[in-house]
Amino acid sequence: MTARIGVITFPGSLDDRDAQRAVRVAGAEPVALWHGSHDLEGVDAVILPGGFSYGDYLRAGAIAAHAPIMAEVAAASAKGMPVLGICNGFQMLVEAHLLPGGLIRNAHQQFIRRDQKLRVENASTAWTNAFTVGEEIVIPLKNADGGYIADDETLRRIEGEGLVAFRYLGVNPNGSLNDIAGITNEHGNVLGLMPHPEHAVEPGFGPATPAAMRSGIDGLRFFQSAVSALVGQAA
């Protein structure tokens, strides 16, 4: 089986091609999807890429959450389809209520770009099963509206139910509550995170490591996790 993973392009998406390439490097077939369509074209999983959908007017991800294809994404995710939201895609997922909480302007009010260390908190999702709990990884981060927030009750629930998937280590780059960098839903098929794994899948283009400059490929395992989960379901 060759997994087919759709990447949705919205007006203002700028990491959709990178996400398609990451899918291909992981061994799956990328399928380009359009925000105005109601057709997921039979894909096995979906990625909402980073960027500035609809110019991020109104609020980051708020308009995209009401795009025609998001109705299909919500229906498919309810049936267990793996869905990954990266940065702007994470903002869409919380605005569409597929994940709890919200994302606001960075606490320092500045756009930030850095290679970010993370700790894996949940390795039981469709997008994280290639990691181990407690593992430290480094992938790029770039955002202006990455501060994760939730009310006290929601925060207690996601912490108590193990829905925090990744936490920032070393530096909290945007003021996220509890150093949260990414969360999953209760079923582990929907994952949102602010850093960008699609920019760390090939040697020569990712974060620097002690072994060599720009050799980091920790992001690749997000996409390999999905391939593994989908192949396992089909077996």
Side-chain angles (χ1 to χ4, degrees):
M1 169 193 176
T2 299
R4 301 176 72 246
I5 300 179
V7 180
I8 302 173
T9 297
F10 299 83
S13 293
L14 55 80
D15 293 314
D16 45 347
R17 296 297 182 90
D18 304 71
Q20 291 175 26
R21 181 167 180 81
V23 167
R24 186 177 297 109
V25 172
E29 175 188 350
V31 179
L33 301 176
W34 184 240
H35 72 109
S37 172
H38 278 286
D39 188 357
L40 292 181
E41 300 187 19
V43 298
D44 304 300
V46 166
I47 295 172
L48 309 179
F52 303 91
S53 57
Y54 298 92
D56 275 351
Y57 294 113
L58 182 63
R59 190 173 57 243
I63 299 175
H66 297 277
I69 203 166
M70 288 301 290
E72 317 308 323
V73 172
S77 68
K79 296 177 181 177
M81 176 181 284
V83 177
L84 172 64
I86 302 169
C87 195
N88 198 216
F90 186 12
Q91 294 156 350
M92 295 176 203
L93 290 175
V94 298
E95 292 289 344
H97 304 296
L98 297 182
L99 289 174
L103 289 150
I104 62 172
R105 196 76 174 171
N106 293 342
H108 44 67
Q109 302 296 308
Q110 301 293 318
F111 184 91
I112 186 170
R113 189 279 172 214
R114 58 179 286 124
D115 292 336
Q116 178 66 47
K117 183 182 289 186
L118 306 173
R119 182 174 62 235
V120 179
E121 300 284 0
N122 186 330
S124 300
T125 82
W127 299 95
T128 61
N129 61 67
F131 297 104
T132 57
V133 172
E135 184 178 358
E136 296 182 8
I137 65 174
V138 178
I139 57 177
L141 172 147
K142 52 177 185 175
N143 65 66
D145 299 274
Y148 183 78
I149 59 169
D151 59 44
D152 291 344
E153 180 180 349
T154 300
L155 201 57
R156 282 194 297 271
R157 182 175 67 82
I158 64 174
E159 291 283 2
E161 296 180 4
L163 303 185
V164 177
F166 296 92
R167 289 187 210 276
Y168 297 118
L169 283 181
V171 174
N172 181 332
N174 43 38
S176 290
L177 296 179
N178 292 10
D179 298 328
I180 291 173
I183 60 173
T184 183
N185 66 347
E186 294 84 349
H187 305 292
N189 63 305
V190 179
L191 178 77
L193 77 162
M194 289 311 297
H196 287 256
E198 77 278 18
H199 296 326
V201 301
E202 294 177 283
F205 299 94
T209 74
M213 291 181 62
R214 300 178 180 176
S215 60
I217 56 170
D218 286 337
L220 180 58
R221 283 183 284 167
F222 284 82
F223 307 96
Q224 292 174 329
S225 292
V227 172
S228 177
L230 293 168
V231 171
Q233 288 176 359

